[in-house]
């Protein structure tokens, strides 16, 4: 039986469904979920300086906690993303929200580094499947012509989540000993409500928005055949059923793993997708270490000596104010340029990363708070330009039936090779620059140690990300045409199959 909703008259629906009231309502539910996703993730970053002191761990272990989340998040992204391409994506989103909300609440009960480490790992499992499934879901509500703007607007929810998470985490952690636990309890509860709303959302037909837009452009009057959506890559097998004389979970898992490998090879042959993944590897490295250590950097006495609450609010405020502008500018600029240059979405990302190199260097070398603020705002603006265009480009160049898998594969490779171990690396480097072997952090004097490790790692990473984006934009037009050809071919095959069954 089909796992997705079936249209009765796509041509008629196109006139009001994109954007429709239903699409807008789904968008705002997804916006709220994304906000909570990043709030739950970054409430830890806001209070980590206080948590580290109370639970007695150093900078290298702080980086290891971030890596624990990212490694698990990365490992589970691909299988959960593959799952989302086979079932109702809204259900995958709902289950993931419920799991990460429980993990956030459990963090409040951590008593040492080990239990905190385990709680962060569980959080990574919950958050792994939401983004691939959610991205594919929205892509079937909004067509290619406006997808970058929609993804950019959706991306601003992440920034609001970072602001509230870091601000609340830092402020609550600074109240009294152990107060940081309250932040995790109260931020975990709303997720269960959003999980229910996600479960109640409407599941669109795969590639619905693009098909409806093409129908409008061609001014069709005929009704497209009603097609029962089935899995395109593998035939679903019920647990315990028999196929070729083999039964049970072993065969199901073996077939699924084989299907995942075939799917991954197919996706990696798409040049633009490979370019986006390579670019994101270096971009994620920079973003990962800065969100982990920015609040700690600001609280060191040899930098600016902020309190925990002020550091969280300041960090989140800069990221949100500059990030919202950067995210929206990136989305709208790439959509406008895309009318003249098919590779504009990738090109805009590369230009943003290249321009961020000098701005980031000046920010870290500045000893003056005003100068640091100006150039860090500029850096955050330039770094977030890529958010909407890269997500939209990923959806543009792959066949519609593989959209969740494409996001999941991108996350797997980019996180694993980019930021999964980046916080640990930078934490270890910062500790090695400390001649006292960690005493600087204990005394709140590790600012220059952190700045040095960030300069040595992040500047080259940004430069390489920029070069990849600028040089790799030339393949996008060809890849979009191929994705459209595959979608059209599969739609025709499904229609012929339905006609054949009717006869």
């Amino acid at each position: 039986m089909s796992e997705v909703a079936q249209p009765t008259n796509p041509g008629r629906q196109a006139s009001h469904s994109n954007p429709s009231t239903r699409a807008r309502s789904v968008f705002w539910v997804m916006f709220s979920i994304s906000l909570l996703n990043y709030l739950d993730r970054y409430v830890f970053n806001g209070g980590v300086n206080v948590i580290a002191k109370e639970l007695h761990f150093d900078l290298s272990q702080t980086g290891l906690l971030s890596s624990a989340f990212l490694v698990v998040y990365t490992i589970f992204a691909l299988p959960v993303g593959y799952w989302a391409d086979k079932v109702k994506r809204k259900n995958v989103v709902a289950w993931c929200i419920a799991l990460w909300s429980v993990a956030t609440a459990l963090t409040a009960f951590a008593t040492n580094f080990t239990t905190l480490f385990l709680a962060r790992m569980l959080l990574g499992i919950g958050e792994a499947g939401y983004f691939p499934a959610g991205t594919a879901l929205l892509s079937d509500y909004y067509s290619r012509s406006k997808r970058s703007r929609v993804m950019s607007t959706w991306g601003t929810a992440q920034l609001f989540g970072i602001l509230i998470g870091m601000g609340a985490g830092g402020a609550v952690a600074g109240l009294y000993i152990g107060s940081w636990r309250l932040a995790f309890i109260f931020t975990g509860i709303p997720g269960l409500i959003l999980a229910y709303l996600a479960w109640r959302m409407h599941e669109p037909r795969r590639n619905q928005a693009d098909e409806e837009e093409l129908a409008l452009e061609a001014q069709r009057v005929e009704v497209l055949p009603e097609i029962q959506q089935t899995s395109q890559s593998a035939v679903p097998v019920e647990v315990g059923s028999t196929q070729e004389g083999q039964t049970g979970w072993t065969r199901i898992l073996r077939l699924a793993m084989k299907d995942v490998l075939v799917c991954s090879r197919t996706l990696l042959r798409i040049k633009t997708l490979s370019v986006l993944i390579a670019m994101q590897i270096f971009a994620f490295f920079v973003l990962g270490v800065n969100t982990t250590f920015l609040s700690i950097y600001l609280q060191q006495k040899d930098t600016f000596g902020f309190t925990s609450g002020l550091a969280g609010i300041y960090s989140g405020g800069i990221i949100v104010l500059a990030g919202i502008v950067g995210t929206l500018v990136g989305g709208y600029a790439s959509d406008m340029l895309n009318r003249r240059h098919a590779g504009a979405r990738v090109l805009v990302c590369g230009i943003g990363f290249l321009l961020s190199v000098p701005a980031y260097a000046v920010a870290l070398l500045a000893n003056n708070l005003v100068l640091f603020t100006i150039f860090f705002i500029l850096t955050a603006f330039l770094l977030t330009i890529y958010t909407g265009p890269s997500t939209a480009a990923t959806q543009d160049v792959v066949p519609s039936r593989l959209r969740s898998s494409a996001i999941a594969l991108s996350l797997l490779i980019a996180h694993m090779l980019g930021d999964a171990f980046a916080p640990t690396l930078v934490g270890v480097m910062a500790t090695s620059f400390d001649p006292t072997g960690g005493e600087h952090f204990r005394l709140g004097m590790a600012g220059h140690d952190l700045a040095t490790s960030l300069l040595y790692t992040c500047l080259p990473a940004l430069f390489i990300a920029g070069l990849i984006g600028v040089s790799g934009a030339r393949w996008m037009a060809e890849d979009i045409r191929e994705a459209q050809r595959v979608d059209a071919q599969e739609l025709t095959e499904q229609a012929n199959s339905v006609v054949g069954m009717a006869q």
Side-chain angles (χ1 to χ4, degrees), residues 40 43-44 51 54-55 100-112 115-116 119-120 178-188:
D40 286 355
V43 70
F44 172 79
I51 298 171
E54 289 191 19
L55 299 185
W100 93 52
S101 298
V102 171
T104 300
L106 288 176
T107 306
F109 301 98
T111 56
N112 51 41
T115 52
L116 190 60
R120 298 299 289 176
S179 60
W180 56 270
R181 300 178 187 276
L182 297 175
F184 291 98
I185 292 175
F186 289 115
T187 56

PDB file of all heavy atoms in Angstrom, residues 40 43-44 51 54-55 100-112 115-116 119-120 178-188:
ATOM      1  N   ASP A  40      17.410  23.067  21.520  1.00  0.00           N
ATOM      2  CA  ASP A  40      17.807  21.923  22.333  1.00  0.00           C
ATOM      3  C   ASP A  40      19.292  21.598  22.168  1.00  0.00           C
ATOM      4  O   ASP A  40      19.951  21.170  23.109  1.00  0.00           O
ATOM      5  CB  ASP A  40      16.978  20.693  21.955  1.00  0.00           C
ATOM      6  CG  ASP A  40      15.553  20.778  22.479  1.00  0.00           C
ATOM      7  OD1 ASP A  40      15.250  21.743  23.207  1.00  0.00           O
ATOM      8  OD2 ASP A  40      14.735  19.899  22.161  1.00  0.00           O
ATOM      9  N   VAL A  43      21.511  24.843  23.819  1.00  0.00           N
ATOM     10  CA  VAL A  43      21.391  25.214  25.219  1.00  0.00           C
ATOM     11  C   VAL A  43      22.611  24.701  25.989  1.00  0.00           C
ATOM     12  O   VAL A  43      23.057  25.318  26.966  1.00  0.00           O
ATOM     13  CB  VAL A  43      20.070  24.667  25.812  1.00  0.00           C
ATOM     14  CG1 VAL A  43      20.101  23.154  25.947  1.00  0.00           C
ATOM     15  CG2 VAL A  43      19.770  25.320  27.149  1.00  0.00           C
ATOM     16  N   PHE A  44      23.175  23.595  25.521  1.00  0.00           N
ATOM     17  CA  PHE A  44      24.405  23.071  26.118  1.00  0.00           C
ATOM     18  C   PHE A  44      25.578  24.010  25.863  1.00  0.00           C
ATOM     19  O   PHE A  44      26.370  24.297  26.767  1.00  0.00           O
ATOM     20  CB  PHE A  44      24.710  21.682  25.557  1.00  0.00           C
ATOM     21  CG  PHE A  44      26.056  21.143  25.964  1.00  0.00           C
ATOM     22  CD1 PHE A  44      26.239  20.598  27.224  1.00  0.00           C
ATOM     23  CD2 PHE A  44      27.133  21.189  25.095  1.00  0.00           C
ATOM     24  CE1 PHE A  44      27.486  20.109  27.606  1.00  0.00           C
ATOM     25  CE2 PHE A  44      28.373  20.697  25.463  1.00  0.00           C
ATOM     26  CZ  PHE A  44      28.546  20.149  26.723  1.00  0.00           C
ATOM     27  N   ILE A  51      29.074  24.277  33.134  1.00  0.00           N
ATOM     28  CA  ILE A  51      28.932  22.822  33.272  1.00  0.00           C
ATOM     29  C   ILE A  51      30.299  22.161  33.399  1.00  0.00           C
ATOM     30  O   ILE A  51      30.492  21.243  34.216  1.00  0.00           O
ATOM     31  CB  ILE A  51      28.158  22.243  32.070  1.00  0.00           C
ATOM     32  CG1 ILE A  51      26.738  22.824  32.006  1.00  0.00           C
ATOM     33  CG2 ILE A  51      28.090  20.723  32.145  1.00  0.00           C
ATOM     34  CD1 ILE A  51      25.983  22.472  30.742  1.00  0.00           C
ATOM     35  N   GLU A  54      31.633  22.612  36.896  1.00  0.00           N
ATOM     36  CA  GLU A  54      30.916  21.835  37.916  1.00  0.00           C
ATOM     37  C   GLU A  54      31.191  20.337  37.801  1.00  0.00           C
ATOM     38  O   GLU A  54      31.288  19.636  38.820  1.00  0.00           O
ATOM     39  CB  GLU A  54      29.413  22.093  37.836  1.00  0.00           C
ATOM     40  CG  GLU A  54      29.006  23.480  38.301  1.00  0.00           C
ATOM     41  CD  GLU A  54      27.499  23.602  38.470  1.00  0.00           C
ATOM     42  OE1 GLU A  54      26.817  22.548  38.582  1.00  0.00           O
ATOM     43  OE2 GLU A  54      26.992  24.737  38.494  1.00  0.00           O
ATOM     44  N   LEU A  55      31.307  19.836  36.571  1.00  0.00           N
ATOM     45  CA  LEU A  55      31.535  18.404  36.380  1.00  0.00           C
ATOM     46  C   LEU A  55      33.004  18.069  36.151  1.00  0.00           C
ATOM     47  O   LEU A  55      33.341  16.911  35.872  1.00  0.00           O
ATOM     48  CB  LEU A  55      30.686  17.892  35.210  1.00  0.00           C
ATOM     49  CG  LEU A  55      29.166  18.041  35.370  1.00  0.00           C
ATOM     50  CD1 LEU A  55      28.431  17.377  34.205  1.00  0.00           C
ATOM     51  CD2 LEU A  55      28.679  17.458  36.683  1.00  0.00           C
ATOM     52  N   TRP A 100      14.591  13.177  20.466  1.00  0.00           N
ATOM     53  CA  TRP A 100      15.572  14.167  20.899  1.00  0.00           C
ATOM     54  C   TRP A 100      15.059  14.990  22.085  1.00  0.00           C
ATOM     55  O   TRP A 100      15.854  15.481  22.897  1.00  0.00           O
ATOM     56  CB  TRP A 100      16.051  15.031  19.738  1.00  0.00           C
ATOM     57  CG  TRP A 100      15.345  16.329  19.486  1.00  0.00           C
ATOM     58  CD1 TRP A 100      15.096  17.339  20.377  1.00  0.00           C
ATOM     59  CD2 TRP A 100      14.839  16.794  18.224  1.00  0.00           C
ATOM     60  NE1 TRP A 100      14.455  18.386  19.757  1.00  0.00           N
ATOM     61  CE2 TRP A 100      14.299  18.086  18.435  1.00  0.00           C
ATOM     62  CE3 TRP A 100      14.814  16.270  16.946  1.00  0.00           C
ATOM     63  CZ2 TRP A 100      13.723  18.835  17.412  1.00  0.00           C
ATOM     64  CZ3 TRP A 100      14.250  17.026  15.931  1.00  0.00           C
ATOM     65  CH2 TRP A 100      13.701  18.276  16.170  1.00  0.00           C
ATOM     66  N   SER A 101      13.744  15.145  22.208  1.00  0.00           N
ATOM     67  CA  SER A 101      13.190  15.878  23.341  1.00  0.00           C
ATOM     68  C   SER A 101      13.423  15.120  24.651  1.00  0.00           C
ATOM     69  O   SER A 101      13.770  15.707  25.678  1.00  0.00           O
ATOM     70  CB  SER A 101      11.697  16.129  23.139  1.00  0.00           C
ATOM     71  OG  SER A 101      11.475  16.922  21.990  1.00  0.00           O
ATOM     72  N   VAL A 102      13.237  13.802  24.596  1.00  0.00           N
ATOM     73  CA  VAL A 102      13.516  12.977  25.768  1.00  0.00           C
ATOM     74  C   VAL A 102      15.000  13.042  26.119  1.00  0.00           C
ATOM     75  O   VAL A 102      15.378  13.156  27.291  1.00  0.00           O
ATOM     76  CB  VAL A 102      13.085  11.522  25.506  1.00  0.00           C
ATOM     77  CG1 VAL A 102      13.564  10.605  26.634  1.00  0.00           C
ATOM     78  CG2 VAL A 102      11.573  11.433  25.367  1.00  0.00           C
ATOM     79  N   ALA A 103      15.874  12.992  25.097  1.00  0.00           N
ATOM     80  CA  ALA A 103      17.320  13.055  25.342  1.00  0.00           C
ATOM     81  C   ALA A 103      17.718  14.381  25.969  1.00  0.00           C
ATOM     82  O   ALA A 103      18.592  14.435  26.848  1.00  0.00           O
ATOM     83  CB  ALA A 103      18.072  12.847  24.024  1.00  0.00           C
ATOM     84  N   THR A 104      17.090  15.471  25.530  1.00  0.00           N
ATOM     85  CA  THR A 104      17.394  16.787  26.110  1.00  0.00           C
ATOM     86  C   THR A 104      17.032  16.813  27.586  1.00  0.00           C
ATOM     87  O   THR A 104      17.822  17.288  28.427  1.00  0.00           O
ATOM     88  CB  THR A 104      16.611  17.886  25.367  1.00  0.00           C
ATOM     89  OG1 THR A 104      16.983  17.878  23.988  1.00  0.00           O
ATOM     90  CG2 THR A 104      16.908  19.252  25.964  1.00  0.00           C
ATOM     91  N   ALA A 105      15.854  16.305  27.925  1.00  0.00           N
ATOM     92  CA  ALA A 105      15.433  16.286  29.324  1.00  0.00           C
ATOM     93  C   ALA A 105      16.361  15.410  30.167  1.00  0.00           C
ATOM     94  O   ALA A 105      16.694  15.752  31.311  1.00  0.00           O
ATOM     95  CB  ALA A 105      13.992  15.799  29.431  1.00  0.00           C
ATOM     96  N   LEU A 106      16.814  14.277  29.622  1.00  0.00           N
ATOM     97  CA  LEU A 106      17.693  13.376  30.364  1.00  0.00           C
ATOM     98  C   LEU A 106      19.051  14.008  30.665  1.00  0.00           C
ATOM     99  O   LEU A 106      19.705  13.633  31.641  1.00  0.00           O
ATOM    100  CB  LEU A 106      17.889  12.074  29.580  1.00  0.00           C
ATOM    101  CG  LEU A 106      16.687  11.120  29.526  1.00  0.00           C
ATOM    102  CD1 LEU A 106      16.992   9.931  28.632  1.00  0.00           C
ATOM    103  CD2 LEU A 106      16.305  10.658  30.929  1.00  0.00           C
ATOM    104  N   THR A 107      19.472  14.971  29.834  1.00  0.00           N
ATOM    105  CA  THR A 107      20.746  15.649  30.064  1.00  0.00           C
ATOM    106  C   THR A 107      20.770  16.330  31.428  1.00  0.00           C
ATOM    107  O   THR A 107      21.831  16.465  32.046  1.00  0.00           O
ATOM    108  CB  THR A 107      20.998  16.686  28.955  1.00  0.00           C
ATOM    109  OG1 THR A 107      20.888  16.048  27.675  1.00  0.00           O
ATOM    110  CG2 THR A 107      22.391  17.297  29.076  1.00  0.00           C
ATOM    111  N   ALA A 108      19.616  16.754  31.902  1.00  0.00           N
ATOM    112  CA  ALA A 108      19.542  17.431  33.200  1.00  0.00           C
ATOM    113  C   ALA A 108      19.979  16.538  34.354  1.00  0.00           C
ATOM    114  O   ALA A 108      20.339  17.036  35.423  1.00  0.00           O
ATOM    115  CB  ALA A 108      18.113  17.923  33.443  1.00  0.00           C
ATOM    116  N   PHE A 109      19.971  15.227  34.138  1.00  0.00           N
ATOM    117  CA  PHE A 109      20.299  14.298  35.224  1.00  0.00           C
ATOM    118  C   PHE A 109      21.731  13.780  35.136  1.00  0.00           C
ATOM    119  O   PHE A 109      22.104  12.866  35.888  1.00  0.00           O
ATOM    120  CB  PHE A 109      19.310  13.125  35.211  1.00  0.00           C
ATOM    121  CG  PHE A 109      17.877  13.560  35.378  1.00  0.00           C
ATOM    122  CD1 PHE A 109      17.050  13.705  34.269  1.00  0.00           C
ATOM    123  CD2 PHE A 109      17.368  13.870  36.626  1.00  0.00           C
ATOM    124  CE1 PHE A 109      15.728  14.113  34.408  1.00  0.00           C
ATOM    125  CE2 PHE A 109      16.055  14.299  36.778  1.00  0.00           C
ATOM    126  CZ  PHE A 109      15.236  14.418  35.674  1.00  0.00           C
ATOM    127  N   ALA A 110      22.534  14.344  34.237  1.00  0.00           N
ATOM    128  CA  ALA A 110      23.939  13.929  34.131  1.00  0.00           C
ATOM    129  C   ALA A 110      24.699  14.306  35.405  1.00  0.00           C
ATOM    130  O   ALA A 110      24.542  15.407  35.932  1.00  0.00           O
ATOM    131  CB  ALA A 110      24.584  14.593  32.918  1.00  0.00           C
ATOM    132  N   THR A 111      25.515  13.371  35.895  1.00  0.00           N
ATOM    133  CA  THR A 111      26.266  13.608  37.140  1.00  0.00           C
ATOM    134  C   THR A 111      27.773  13.671  36.927  1.00  0.00           C
ATOM    135  O   THR A 111      28.507  14.051  37.833  1.00  0.00           O
ATOM    136  CB  THR A 111      25.963  12.492  38.151  1.00  0.00           C
ATOM    137  OG1 THR A 111      26.265  11.215  37.553  1.00  0.00           O
ATOM    138  CG2 THR A 111      24.492  12.520  38.560  1.00  0.00           C
ATOM    139  N   ASN A 112      28.231  13.289  35.733  1.00  0.00           N
ATOM    140  CA  ASN A 112      29.657  13.336  35.440  1.00  0.00           C
ATOM    141  C   ASN A 112      29.854  13.396  33.929  1.00  0.00           C
ATOM    142  O   ASN A 112      28.883  13.411  33.163  1.00  0.00           O
ATOM    143  CB  ASN A 112      30.384  12.122  36.033  1.00  0.00           C
ATOM    144  CG  ASN A 112      29.728  10.799  35.650  1.00  0.00           C
ATOM    145  OD1 ASN A 112      29.303  10.609  34.504  1.00  0.00           O
ATOM    146  ND2 ASN A 112      29.629   9.887  36.612  1.00  0.00           N
ATOM    147  N   THR A 115      28.123  10.312  31.876  1.00  0.00           N
ATOM    148  CA  THR A 115      26.669  10.356  31.691  1.00  0.00           C
ATOM    149  C   THR A 115      26.266  11.503  30.766  1.00  0.00           C
ATOM    150  O   THR A 115      25.313  11.384  29.988  1.00  0.00           O
ATOM    151  CB  THR A 115      25.950  10.499  33.040  1.00  0.00           C
ATOM    152  OG1 THR A 115      26.498  11.614  33.765  1.00  0.00           O
ATOM    153  CG2 THR A 115      26.118   9.243  33.877  1.00  0.00           C
ATOM    154  N   LEU A 116      26.993  12.599  30.828  1.00  0.00           N
ATOM    155  CA  LEU A 116      26.732  13.707  29.911  1.00  0.00           C
ATOM    156  C   LEU A 116      27.068  13.303  28.482  1.00  0.00           C
ATOM    157  O   LEU A 116      26.338  13.624  27.531  1.00  0.00           O
ATOM    158  CB  LEU A 116      27.559  14.928  30.335  1.00  0.00           C
ATOM    159  CG  LEU A 116      27.244  16.253  29.633  1.00  0.00           C
ATOM    160  CD1 LEU A 116      25.801  16.665  29.859  1.00  0.00           C
ATOM    161  CD2 LEU A 116      28.183  17.345  30.131  1.00  0.00           C
ATOM    162  N   ALA A 119      24.252  11.150  27.146  1.00  0.00           N
ATOM    163  CA  ALA A 119      23.057  11.946  26.845  1.00  0.00           C
ATOM    164  C   ALA A 119      23.217  12.695  25.533  1.00  0.00           C
ATOM    165  O   ALA A 119      22.272  12.791  24.733  1.00  0.00           O
ATOM    166  CB  ALA A 119      22.785  12.930  27.986  1.00  0.00           C
ATOM    167  N   ARG A 120      24.408  13.214  25.272  1.00  0.00           N
ATOM    168  CA  ARG A 120      24.649  13.923  24.010  1.00  0.00           C
ATOM    169  C   ARG A 120      24.602  12.971  22.822  1.00  0.00           C
ATOM    170  O   ARG A 120      24.159  13.340  21.725  1.00  0.00           O
ATOM    171  CB  ARG A 120      26.010  14.641  24.047  1.00  0.00           C
ATOM    172  CG  ARG A 120      26.134  15.706  25.119  1.00  0.00           C
ATOM    173  CD  ARG A 120      25.124  16.820  24.959  1.00  0.00           C
ATOM    174  NE  ARG A 120      25.415  17.660  23.813  1.00  0.00           N
ATOM    175  CZ  ARG A 120      24.643  18.660  23.414  1.00  0.00           C
ATOM    176  NH1 ARG A 120      23.521  18.930  24.067  1.00  0.00           N
ATOM    177  NH2 ARG A 120      24.962  19.385  22.363  1.00  0.00           N
ATOM    178  N   GLY A 178      24.321  24.165  39.789  1.00  0.00           N
ATOM    179  CA  GLY A 178      23.364  23.163  39.339  1.00  0.00           C
ATOM    180  C   GLY A 178      22.163  23.709  38.607  1.00  0.00           C
ATOM    181  O   GLY A 178      21.328  22.940  38.125  1.00  0.00           O
ATOM    182  N   SER A 179      22.051  25.039  38.487  1.00  0.00           N
ATOM    183  CA  SER A 179      20.870  25.616  37.844  1.00  0.00           C
ATOM    184  C   SER A 179      20.791  25.296  36.356  1.00  0.00           C
ATOM    185  O   SER A 179      19.712  25.373  35.753  1.00  0.00           O
ATOM    186  CB  SER A 179      20.842  27.132  38.051  1.00  0.00           C
ATOM    187  OG  SER A 179      21.993  27.745  37.488  1.00  0.00           O
ATOM    188  N   TRP A 180      21.929  24.940  35.749  1.00  0.00           N
ATOM    189  CA  TRP A 180      21.934  24.620  34.316  1.00  0.00           C
ATOM    190  C   TRP A 180      21.011  23.448  33.996  1.00  0.00           C
ATOM    191  O   TRP A 180      20.530  23.327  32.869  1.00  0.00           O
ATOM    192  CB  TRP A 180      23.348  24.302  33.837  1.00  0.00           C
ATOM    193  CG  TRP A 180      24.043  23.191  34.570  1.00  0.00           C
ATOM    194  CD1 TRP A 180      24.831  23.298  35.678  1.00  0.00           C
ATOM    195  CD2 TRP A 180      24.009  21.791  34.237  1.00  0.00           C
ATOM    196  NE1 TRP A 180      25.288  22.054  36.066  1.00  0.00           N
ATOM    197  CE2 TRP A 180      24.806  21.123  35.189  1.00  0.00           C
ATOM    198  CE3 TRP A 180      23.388  21.049  33.231  1.00  0.00           C
ATOM    199  CZ2 TRP A 180      25.002  19.737  35.172  1.00  0.00           C
ATOM    200  CZ3 TRP A 180      23.577  19.672  33.204  1.00  0.00           C
ATOM    201  CH2 TRP A 180      24.368  19.036  34.171  1.00  0.00           C
ATOM    202  N   ARG A 181      20.731  22.603  34.963  1.00  0.00           N
ATOM    203  CA  ARG A 181      19.873  21.445  34.732  1.00  0.00           C
ATOM    204  C   ARG A 181      18.447  21.861  34.362  1.00  0.00           C
ATOM    205  O   ARG A 181      17.760  21.169  33.594  1.00  0.00           O
ATOM    206  CB  ARG A 181      19.862  20.544  35.970  1.00  0.00           C
ATOM    207  CG  ARG A 181      21.249  20.027  36.345  1.00  0.00           C
ATOM    208  CD  ARG A 181      21.219  19.174  37.609  1.00  0.00           C
ATOM    209  NE  ARG A 181      22.565  18.837  38.049  1.00  0.00           N
ATOM    210  CZ  ARG A 181      23.271  17.828  37.574  1.00  0.00           C
ATOM    211  NH1 ARG A 181      22.744  17.033  36.649  1.00  0.00           N
ATOM    212  NH2 ARG A 181      24.484  17.589  38.026  1.00  0.00           N
ATOM    213  N   LEU A 182      17.988  22.971  34.909  1.00  0.00           N
ATOM    214  CA  LEU A 182      16.632  23.443  34.633  1.00  0.00           C
ATOM    215  C   LEU A 182      16.437  23.759  33.150  1.00  0.00           C
ATOM    216  O   LEU A 182      15.360  23.542  32.596  1.00  0.00           O
ATOM    217  CB  LEU A 182      16.323  24.689  35.468  1.00  0.00           C
ATOM    218  CG  LEU A 182      16.326  24.512  36.996  1.00  0.00           C
ATOM    219  CD1 LEU A 182      16.122  25.858  37.675  1.00  0.00           C
ATOM    220  CD2 LEU A 182      15.236  23.527  37.409  1.00  0.00           C
ATOM    221  N   ALA A 183      17.485  24.296  32.520  1.00  0.00           N
ATOM    222  CA  ALA A 183      17.384  24.665  31.104  1.00  0.00           C
ATOM    223  C   ALA A 183      17.069  23.448  30.241  1.00  0.00           C
ATOM    224  O   ALA A 183      16.267  23.524  29.305  1.00  0.00           O
ATOM    225  CB  ALA A 183      18.678  25.319  30.643  1.00  0.00           C
ATOM    226  N   PHE A 184      17.670  22.307  30.555  1.00  0.00           N
ATOM    227  CA  PHE A 184      17.444  21.106  29.746  1.00  0.00           C
ATOM    228  C   PHE A 184      16.051  20.522  29.976  1.00  0.00           C
ATOM    229  O   PHE A 184      15.436  19.988  29.049  1.00  0.00           O
ATOM    230  CB  PHE A 184      18.521  20.064  30.070  1.00  0.00           C
ATOM    231  CG  PHE A 184      19.887  20.452  29.588  1.00  0.00           C
ATOM    232  CD1 PHE A 184      20.796  21.037  30.445  1.00  0.00           C
ATOM    233  CD2 PHE A 184      20.254  20.249  28.274  1.00  0.00           C
ATOM    234  CE1 PHE A 184      22.057  21.409  30.015  1.00  0.00           C
ATOM    235  CE2 PHE A 184      21.508  20.608  27.821  1.00  0.00           C
ATOM    236  CZ  PHE A 184      22.416  21.196  28.692  1.00  0.00           C
ATOM    237  N   ILE A 185      15.549  20.617  31.187  1.00  0.00           N
ATOM    238  CA  ILE A 185      14.214  20.089  31.468  1.00  0.00           C
ATOM    239  C   ILE A 185      13.149  20.883  30.723  1.00  0.00           C
ATOM    240  O   ILE A 185      12.285  20.322  30.039  1.00  0.00           O
ATOM    241  CB  ILE A 185      13.941  20.113  32.987  1.00  0.00           C
ATOM    242  CG1 ILE A 185      14.851  19.108  33.700  1.00  0.00           C
ATOM    243  CG2 ILE A 185      12.473  19.776  33.264  1.00  0.00           C
ATOM    244  CD1 ILE A 185      14.748  19.146  35.200  1.00  0.00           C
ATOM    245  N   PHE A 186      13.229  22.200  30.806  1.00  0.00           N
ATOM    246  CA  PHE A 186      12.170  23.034  30.231  1.00  0.00           C
ATOM    247  C   PHE A 186      12.252  23.150  28.714  1.00  0.00           C
ATOM    248  O   PHE A 186      11.247  23.417  28.060  1.00  0.00           O
ATOM    249  CB  PHE A 186      12.185  24.418  30.879  1.00  0.00           C
ATOM    250  CG  PHE A 186      11.701  24.418  32.295  1.00  0.00           C
ATOM    251  CD1 PHE A 186      12.545  24.734  33.343  1.00  0.00           C
ATOM    252  CD2 PHE A 186      10.395  24.070  32.601  1.00  0.00           C
ATOM    253  CE1 PHE A 186      12.108  24.716  34.661  1.00  0.00           C
ATOM    254  CE2 PHE A 186       9.932  24.043  33.909  1.00  0.00           C
ATOM    255  CZ  PHE A 186      10.794  24.362  34.950  1.00  0.00           C
ATOM    256  N   THR A 187      13.430  22.936  28.144  1.00  0.00           N
ATOM    257  CA  THR A 187      13.520  22.970  26.679  1.00  0.00           C
ATOM    258  C   THR A 187      13.166  21.628  26.059  1.00  0.00           C
ATOM    259  O   THR A 187      12.849  21.553  24.864  1.00  0.00           O
ATOM    260  CB  THR A 187      14.932  23.381  26.212  1.00  0.00           C
ATOM    261  OG1 THR A 187      15.901  22.493  26.792  1.00  0.00           O
ATOM    262  CG2 THR A 187      15.246  24.800  26.622  1.00  0.00           C
ATOM    263  N   GLY A 188      13.182  20.546  26.835  1.00  0.00           N
ATOM    264  CA  GLY A 188      12.837  19.239  26.297  1.00  0.00           C
ATOM    265  C   GLY A 188      11.348  18.999  26.175  1.00  0.00           C
ATOM    266  O   GLY A 188      10.884  18.275  25.283  1.00  0.00           O
TER     267      GLY A 188
END
